[in-house]
Amino acid sequence: MEPENCIALIAVIAFVVALVVLSNQSKGRQTRRENDRQVAAAASERELQDARRGNVDAIHAVGAKNRQEAIPDLVRLLDGSDLQAGDAAARTLETMAWIPANSKQAVGFYFHLNQGDKLFFQGEAAVKYLINKLENKQKEERVRSAGIL
């Protein structure tokens, strides 16, 4: 083989190797980006699950990210037995500009925001709710209910 042909062959081989290396680097970047997205999605799902369980920090984080899919879970926490989780859920819903759909939701929402004046407008539903809270095991809920009544 003549030297010119050897040089041309080496140049072609070097060019092909360079293309393969660049292609692999590009695939590596795409894989890393996809992995980063998957990690973020998993973390976000864990945060949502923690909020559903009443983790106060997770509840605030969900609200800070305005996670609309969390609203039904936050509303359920308003009726739960954990005062701190209910308070955090109510504050989070308030920052998300959520509006109660019915009297039952409104009563729990305003109770946990400690807004007795708005509870007054919920009528009999509010009275039943507050009386039920007076029978609760948590002293803080009993004290808050008595104060509102």
Side-chain angles (χ1 to χ4, degrees):
M1 188 180 271
E2 294 187 30
E4 297 90 30
N5 289 341
C6 285
I7 293 174
L9 183 60
I10 291 172
V12 168
I13 292 172
F15 179 73
V16 169
V17 168
L19 285 176
V20 169
V21 168
L22 287 174
S23 175
N24 286 341
Q25 286 177 347
S26 176
K27 287 178 186 174
R29 273 187 248 116
Q30 289 173 347
T31 302
R32 281 191 299 275
R33 272 187 247 132
E34 182 59 31
N35 286 345
D36 290 347
R37 277 193 285 272
Q38 289 174 353
V39 167
S44 184
E45 183 58 31
R46 275 192 306 275
E47 182 178 79
L48 191 55
Q49 289 172 357
D50 287 345
R52 286 181 184 130
R53 288 187 204 107
N55 179 301
V56 173
D57 293 332
I59 292 169
H60 291 301
V62 163
K65 294 176 185 171
N66 202 19
R67 302 272 310 269
Q68 297 295 311
E69 70 271 21
I71 289 176
D73 297 309
L74 295 173
V75 171
R76 275 192 285 283
L77 289 172
L78 297 176
D79 286 333
S81 61
D82 186 343
L83 182 66
Q84 291 176 333
D87 289 354
R91 285 191 303 275
T92 298
L93 288 165
E94 184 179 43
T95 62
M96 295 170 82
W98 175 78
I99 298 171
N102 55 48
S103 183
K104 182 182 178 199
Q105 289 179 354
V107 169
F109 183 59
Y110 296 132
F111 173 80
H112 284 288
L113 290 176
N114 206 14
Q115 295 179 351
D117 56 328
K118 292 184 180 175
L119 272 173
F120 173 77
F121 294 107
Q122 301 306 314
E124 186 178 336
V127 174
K128 287 180 181 179
Y129 184 87
L130 293 171
I131 289 172
N132 186 38
K133 291 293 183 183
L134 284 173
E135 298 169 355
N136 195 302
K137 294 178 183 177
Q138 289 188 20
K139 179 181 178 183
E140 297 86 10
E141 284 196 3
R142 293 193 312 268
V143 169
R144 186 181 294 175
S145 297
I148 291 171
L149 285 171

